[in-house]
Amino acid sequence: MATSEQPLSGFRIGVTAARRAEEQIALLERRGAEVVHAPALSVDPNRIDEVGLLDATKDVLSQPVDIFVATTGIGLKSWFTAAERWGLLTDLIAHLGNAEILARGPKSVGALRRFGLRELWSPESEAFEDVLVHLRGRDLHGVRIVVQEHGQSLSMAAHALRRLGAEVTTVAVYRVEGAEDPEPMFGLIEQIAERRVHAVTFTAAPAIAAMMQAATSTGHRDELVTAFQADVIASCVGPVTAAAFEMWGVPSIYPERSRLAAMVKQLEIELPSRATGTTLEVAGHVLLLHGDDVLLDGAEIKLSPAPYAVLQALLVNPGTVVSRRDLLGALPSGTAGSEHAVEMAVARLRAALGTRCIQTVVKRGYRLAVAT
């Protein structure tokens, strides 16, 4: 049973991280969780293509750079460390220092500043897509852009920028590869499909792609997606990682600050709440009620008293039609005594949850669009 000292006691959590996995596992186990570790990726610095990186560095130095895009802290640090071994670090920093520097997020900002470089702009979202939006809004004809890749090829983004007239050079510092031993991941996928874990954590978008690829190869992809949609929490370290789930229709949660400790803290609240609250699948979304709290796909929904009262009435027997008269009787005292008040409360509830979550049954009333 969970306690204030061990709020995750009784919960089984899958961890897909390869880097900093020990730190994350320790954070979870200290809070009472049982951890299933199944690395999705292998990030091995020894696999850096030194020859290719050296050639790319010389290419960068061969002519002036107008815009430099830094995408990851570890990639930037690895690149500059390699440049130092080659005796090119001073030249590289001076060369990039003359460019307009864009940074994807705080980790790349931190790495830049450690080497004496400063960014001129960074998106609040930490999403590379927003860096591209920022660039696409400008005249790029004849502009030389250098992009430090973040473990996965950015060739498509480079091609898109070239279509706008830019000259783009990508620098591949390292490549993210799948785990050397896939067996733990195969085992975790089976446990997710069978609902034998309560949550799974992800600290990198490629880990999600790797899990989906593994699930596809074993014939469990649809079961995996269904489990995440209905019962198993997909917990991500931040919005960049969570975005990788969108194409699969999987709801995920992530903390305001993209940090391991914040992700674990969110699970401390989310898992016990789901265990004691009411959880339903409504129009493809996960609706959770715990006390006065309403969460849709892990995000808190603020409801005023009237729409909250309508939701509570619809939840008494989920999927059952509730008449306008009964809903009117459920509204808080002081609410206008007509069915128009019900319609207004339903409209506000739909605005908060999504129009498909509340169905109108002609001449009868309203119902929650729960899975049957």
Side-chain angles (χ1 to χ4, degrees):
M1 180 180 292
T3 65
S4 57
E5 293 80 14
Q6 291 196 316
L8 294 177
S9 178
F11 295 105
R12 206 156 190 249
I13 299 174
V15 170
T16 63
R19 294 181 57 248
R20 298 181 65 188
E22 294 80 5
E23 177 184 351
Q24 185 183 159
I25 291 170
L27 285 170
L28 292 167
E29 289 182 340
R30 278 202 298 270
R31 288 156 177 78
E34 179 185 351
V35 175
V36 180
H37 185 210
L41 303 172
S42 173
V43 180
D44 186 352
N46 295 326
R47 295 182 185 175
I48 291 175
D49 180 0
E50 292 264 340
V51 175
L53 183 57
L54 176 57
D55 288 343
T57 303
K58 290 179 178 178
D59 184 30
V60 169
L61 291 170
S62 66
Q63 53 184 307
V65 177
D66 297 305
I67 298 174
F68 171 54
V69 182
T71 61
T72 64
I74 185 174
L76 202 62
K77 183 180 177 182
S78 297
W79 184 18
F80 288 171
T81 300
E84 187 173 32
R85 289 197 302 272
W86 305 324
L88 296 175
L89 180 60
T90 301
D91 291 343
L92 182 60
I93 289 177
H95 197 67
L96 296 176
N98 292 323
E100 175 186 347
I101 299 177
L102 309 179
R104 180 175 67 86
K107 292 182 180 179
S108 51
V109 166
L112 285 165
R113 294 183 181 181
R114 279 195 295 274
F115 287 93
L117 297 171
R118 292 191 70 87
E119 79 292 347
L120 292 181
W121 181 83
S122 181
E124 292 184 7
S125 65
E126 303 180 28
F128 182 73
E129 289 76 10
D130 287 339
V131 177
L132 291 178
V133 170
H134 179 76
L135 289 172
R136 286 197 298 266
R138 301 166 56 169
D139 181 4
L140 298 178
H141 285 281
V143 175
R144 189 180 188 220
I145 303 174
V146 171
V147 181
Q148 170 246 321
E149 293 187 342
H150 53 58
Q152 289 185 303
S153 174
L154 296 176
S155 60
M156 292 299 290
H159 285 306
L161 293 174
R162 290 186 187 113
R163 293 184 69 192
L164 298 175
E167 178 189 341
V168 184
T169 298
T170 57
V171 178
V173 181
Y174 61 87
R175 285 279 182 254
V176 175
E177 300 181 10
E180 293 181 3
D181 180 6
E183 280 303 320
M185 177 54 65
F186 290 152
L188 176 58
I189 288 168
E190 291 175 357
Q191 292 185 52
I192 295 169
E194 295 168 2
R195 278 66 162 180
R196 289 191 282 128
V197 293
H198 300 90
V200 182
T201 64
F202 300 88
T203 56
I208 295 169
M211 172 176 276
M212 289 300 181
Q213 184 178 15
T216 300
S217 68
T218 57
H220 291 304
R221 191 191 67 189
D222 291 345
E223 297 170 69
L224 186 80
V225 170
T226 299
F228 276 132
Q229 288 174 335
D231 301 301
V232 181
I233 297 175
S235 174
C236 299
V237 75
V240 176
T241 303
F245 267 127
E246 291 178 2
M247 67 177 291
W248 301 102
V250 170
S252 61
I253 64 171
Y254 57 87
E256 290 186 9
R257 284 174 52 81
S258 301
R259 299 289 184 271
L260 278 180
M263 178 179 68
V264 172
K265 182 66 177 177
Q266 186 179 42
L267 281 174
E268 288 181 27
I269 299 169
E270 187 76 14
L271 279 170
S273 294
R274 293 202 183 194
T276 58
T278 300
T279 303
L280 292 171
E281 184 181 349
V282 182
H285 300 280
V286 177
L287 180 67
L288 166 67
L289 273 80
H290 180 66
D292 293 331
D293 296 325
V294 179
L295 288 90
L296 188 71
D297 294 340
E300 186 176 2
I301 303 296
K302 297 293 186 182
L303 295 176
S304 55
Y308 183 79
V310 168
L311 179 59
Q312 291 282 21
L314 296 175
L315 281 167
V316 172
N317 288 300
T320 300
V321 178
V322 182
S323 69
R324 289 179 175 82
R325 177 179 294 180
D326 288 342
L327 289 176
L328 181 61
L331 293 180
S333 58
T335 304
S338 70
E339 290 190 359
H340 178 66
V342 173
E343 293 169 1
M344 292 298 294
V346 170
R348 293 192 181 103
L349 184 59
R350 281 175 167 154
L353 300 182
T355 56
R356 294 195 305 156
C357 289
I358 312 298
Q359 295 178 336
T360 300
V361 181
V362 179
K363 295 184 180 181
R364 292 181 58 198
Y366 301 93
R367 64 183 291 274
L368 276 178
V370 297
T372 56

